[in-house]
Amino acid sequence: MPPRFVWPNVSEKNDGANRDATKRSARERLQEERERQKARDKRRRTLIVSAAVVGVLGLAAVVGLIAANTGKDGTDKAGPVVVPSGATGKDALAIRTGKDGAKSTLTVWEDFRCPACKAFEDNYRATVHELEAKGLLKVDYHLVTLIDGNMGGSGSLKSANAAACAQDAGKFPAYHDVLFQNQPQEVDDAYGKNAKLLELAGKVEGLDTPEFRACVEEGTHNSWVAKSHEAFQAGNFRGTPTIQLNGKDIFADQANPLTPQKLKEQVEAAAKGNGGAAPKGTGKASPSASASHSASAAASAAPSAGSKSSSTTGSRAGSATGSRGVADH
């Protein structure tokens, strides 16, 4: 009997095809998943590397900033020391106002950014100028850059250099007063901009000249200012302002703090040969003296270290006492 022809089982063929398709689909899905995983891994590595680079750059920036500020006192010691015209005292670090023949000497260490220094100047300016005009008092100004070192910026340095430039032009007293009368807030480094210093020079007749501008813009006396600040540090003074009358700290006696009136009396007594003792029977202090008494006492009671002065104390003196007194900065 001849063999019979048997038709293939269509269902079985379809099942085989489906199984093959399923296997291929699974492999393809697996391959696609692997590709996606590779892409994810690649993105993750890229992010990690990027973050690491940013971190390294950030760390480098911080380290650079720390390195740039470590050991700085707000001074620029680059360049030769150029002494201002007529500078006097040890190493020619003082700018003197008043007559050389005056019997009394007021030694002032101050920073043009220091609020407490402004308070002192506002309170004592008229008395000091009066005594200078009478030939009874001379003042040796030493310029300090304490606030630059404590708060950052360069306003102390640049304003001190500008004041030294004004000394070259014979205009130091007037420009000195203008700088304190227009002092910005302690945290505002406005005096770090030469344009501001030149603008204020316009308030002093005859000061804004090409020579003065060049001196300011080139920082001619920066190294001299730095040397003055080094002398301040070496002196271990308590802070700015440090004010000495004939070598004695005028705020040292907390029980009997100096006032503008008492300063006047002591200087007049010295001129008369009384060794600086206040004359008897002087009567009551003037209203300005009485107003300054409590603030001066506060200044004497709360000194701050010269290398770590308190900006809070100084700001209080500048804003709260105004023209009534002074506190150390």
Side-chain angles (χ1 to χ4, degrees):
M1 184 178 203
R4 278 188 316 177
F5 178 78
V6 179
W7 290 96
N9 191 320
V10 176
S11 177
E12 291 178 357
K13 289 176 65 178
N14 288 339
D15 289 343
N18 290 337
R19 283 195 298 272
D20 290 341
T22 300
K23 289 179 181 179
R24 284 196 300 273
S25 178
R27 285 196 299 270
E28 290 170 356
R29 287 197 301 272
L30 181 59
Q31 184 63 29
E32 289 172 357
E33 180 60 29
R34 287 173 177 171
E35 293 299 328
R36 284 194 293 270
Q37 185 61 43
K38 287 181 180 179
R40 284 195 294 268
D41 291 343
K42 184 177 181 180
R43 285 195 299 272
R44 187 181 298 108
R45 285 195 299 271
T46 301
L47 289 173
I48 292 173
V49 172
S50 298
V53 170
V54 170
V56 170
L57 291 176
L59 179 61
V62 171
V63 171
L65 182 61
I66 293 173
N69 286 283
T70 298
K72 281 196 173 185
D73 303 313
T75 56
D76 182 357
K77 302 178 183 179
V81 175
V82 180
V83 177
S85 175
T88 187
K90 183 179 179 182
D91 297 326
L93 293 177
I95 294 178
R96 174 168 292 177
T97 61
K99 295 179 175 63
D100 288 338
K103 287 192 175 182
S104 290
T105 302
L106 194 68
T107 303
V108 180
W109 297 82
E110 60 186 4
D111 184 327
F112 288 111
R113 286 183 69 188
C114 166
C117 298
K118 173 178 170 58
F120 168 79
E121 288 293 336
D122 289 347
N123 196 33
Y124 285 79
R125 182 181 296 115
T127 302
V128 169
H129 287 338
E130 177 187 347
L131 294 171
E132 286 178 325
K134 290 180 178 179
L136 304 179
L137 180 70
K138 56 182 177 289
V139 184
D140 287 343
Y141 289 99
H142 296 264
L143 307 182
V144 177
T145 60
L146 192 64
I147 308 302
D148 283 358
N150 291 346
M151 303 291 291
S154 59
S156 300
L157 171 64
K158 290 189 175 182
S159 57
N161 171 69
C165 295
Q167 169 68 9
D168 290 339
K171 304 287 184 179
F172 173 81
Y175 190 60
H176 166 275
D177 291 352
V178 164
L179 286 174
F180 277 117
Q181 288 165 346
N182 293 273
Q183 184 189 79
Q185 293 294 315
E186 184 181 17
V187 295
D188 179 5
D189 191 30
Y191 284 174
K193 300 178 178 64
N194 289 333
K196 182 63 176 179
L197 299 170
L198 295 173
E199 174 193 330
L200 293 177
K203 295 179 178 290
V204 179
E205 185 178 357
L207 178 57
D208 190 3
T209 63
E211 293 77 15
F212 174 77
R213 284 178 169 267
C215 183
V216 170
E217 291 170 350
E218 294 169 10
T220 299
H221 299 296
N222 281 359
S223 294
W224 176 83
V225 174
K227 193 171 181 180
S228 176
H229 185 78
E230 289 174 354
F232 171 77
Q233 291 180 309
N236 293 317
F237 298 114
R238 60 182 180 178
T240 56
T242 290
I243 317 292
Q244 299 170 323
L245 178 61
N246 299 324
K248 180 180 179 181
D249 188 338
I250 68 173
F251 297 124
D253 186 356
Q254 296 183 21
N256 185 31
L258 195 72
T259 65
Q261 179 64 21
K262 290 179 181 178
L263 172 64
K264 183 177 180 180
E265 291 170 357
Q266 289 186 22
V267 170
E268 290 175 342
K272 293 176 181 178
N274 292 342
K280 295 181 180 180
T282 55
K284 294 182 179 180
S286 66
S288 62
S290 299
S292 66
H293 184 282
S294 61
S296 296
S300 182
S304 57
S307 61
K308 296 180 180 179
S309 75
S310 167
S311 60
T312 302
T313 304
S315 299
R316 236 184 353 254
S319 60
T321 64
S323 63
R324 296 186 296 120
V326 58
D328 290 310
H329 197 284

